[in-house]
DNA sequence: AGCACGTTCACGTGGCGTGAGGGTCC
DNA sequence: AGGACCCTCACGCCACGTGAACGTGC
């Protein structure tokens, strides 16, 4: 699937199996934000289609209404951002830990091996 | 507010401003789980009331339906657990970092100060 | 005996999907 | 000139809240 894909509403509706009117309503409620051509025609990206399929799953399979969909989308976004933040923090902390250990070992080696260049003592 | 408070359905409904029948429906859908007396009468705790107020906010103010409420409650629970985990990880990592730094400084001091007891060299 | 509890069924309202009508752009 | 776009309005269905009917426990 081409990442630059832009489909107008009839094609997009066909691709995700929805009514074109439904897509307009979703946009009106702020659930999807397709771009527009100069002639004001909606253009849906592949990301938009993916979002539409997610909304479809929430409404038809799980039975949420649109207010619920909006809130769930916000919460899931928040959740994934926190997930990434957690991973980042773990990575950075491990990094700093290794950094300190490396320095520590280097200092000890310097004191034990007199053939190495002398560093200033603290 | 007493934490051990147990109210039967009419009182609970009054306290949160809902219809008793609504509370029964919520229980049927698994949104609240009041305990029961031996005679099968529902007893709502203060935690149940708080949950009811949260559900009320989601439905009346934000317009979610019950499927949405259920999912939002799950997601918010997940979010708060991840929040706590993030804080815990940060705390533990800082702890380990300080630990390593302390050890590091102690080793250096031992090498520099001959009056201290000798440790085995690596 | 009476009152609040239990469950089940019925009704009304509102949200949401679907379609039709009419105007505009290529 | 035709077809797909735009928007707005109208209909139908289902979810949900509310109430009534009827039985049961204290």
């Amino acid at each position: 699937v081409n990442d630059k894909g832009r489909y107008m509403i009839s094609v997009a509706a066909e691709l995700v199996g929805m009514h074109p009117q439904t897509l307009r309503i979703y946009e009106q409620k702020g659930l999807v934000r397709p771009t527009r051509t100069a002639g004001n025609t909606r253009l849906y990206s592949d990301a938009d289609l993916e979002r539409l399929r997610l909304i479809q799953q929430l409404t038809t399979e799980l039975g949420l209404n649109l207010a619920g969909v909006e809130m769930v989308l916000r919460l899931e976004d928040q959740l994934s951002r926190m997930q990434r933040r957690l991973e980042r923090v773990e990575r950075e902390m491990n990094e700093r830990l290794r950094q300190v250990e490396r320095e520590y070992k280097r200092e000890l080696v310097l004191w034990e091996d007199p053939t190495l260049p002398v560093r200033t003592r603290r």
Side-chain angles (χ1 to χ4, degrees), chain A:
Chain A
V1 182
N2 183 0
D3 236 17
K4 293 287 167 62
R6 300 281 151 141
Y7 317 96
M8 55 186 186
I9 199 170
S10 62
V11 182
E14 175 78 19
L15 286 175
V16 299
M18 290 172 149
H19 196 82
Q21 197 66 14
T22 304
L23 301 198
R24 296 190 241 261
I25 295 177
Y26 286 179
E27 179 184 15
Q28 191 178 351
K29 302 230 172 181
L31 296 177
V32 284
R33 305 192 181 280
T35 60
R36 302 279 186 132
T37 66
N40 209 28
T41 296
R42 282 169 255 254
L43 287 186
Y44 291 81
S45 69
D46 287 304
D48 289 330
L49 296 192
E50 210 45 54
R51 191 173 179 86
L52 285 173
R53 292 195 187 94
L54 175 55
I55 296 174
Q56 190 179 36
Q57 191 177 353
L58 292 175
T59 54
T60 69
E61 295 179 23
L62 298 174
L64 304 220
N65 62 9
L66 299 190
V69 167
E70 184 186 344
M71 187 155 186
V72 165
L73 290 180
R74 264 211 320 272
L75 283 176
E76 285 191 339
D77 179 60
Q78 201 174 338
L79 205 60
S80 73
R81 277 189 292 112
M82 185 169 293
Q83 178 72 33
R84 282 197 301 275
R85 189 178 153 211
L86 181 65
E87 287 167 1
R88 190 176 55 80
V89 165
E90 269 179 344
R91 203 161 2 90
E92 279 179 5
M93 292 300 262
N94 275 321
E95 186 54 37
R96 282 178 58 193
L97 206 58
R98 273 195 301 277
Q99 178 73 20
V100 169
E101 276 169 351
R102 264 200 308 276
E103 242 171 57
Y104 159 76
K105 282 178 182 148
R106 193 158 56 104
E107 298 266 0
L108 283 184
V109 166
L110 284 173
W111 283 104
E112 287 173 348
D113 187 347
T115 69
L116 290 177
V118 177
R119 295 178 73 237
T120 57
R121 306 186 179 189
R122 55 190 71 174

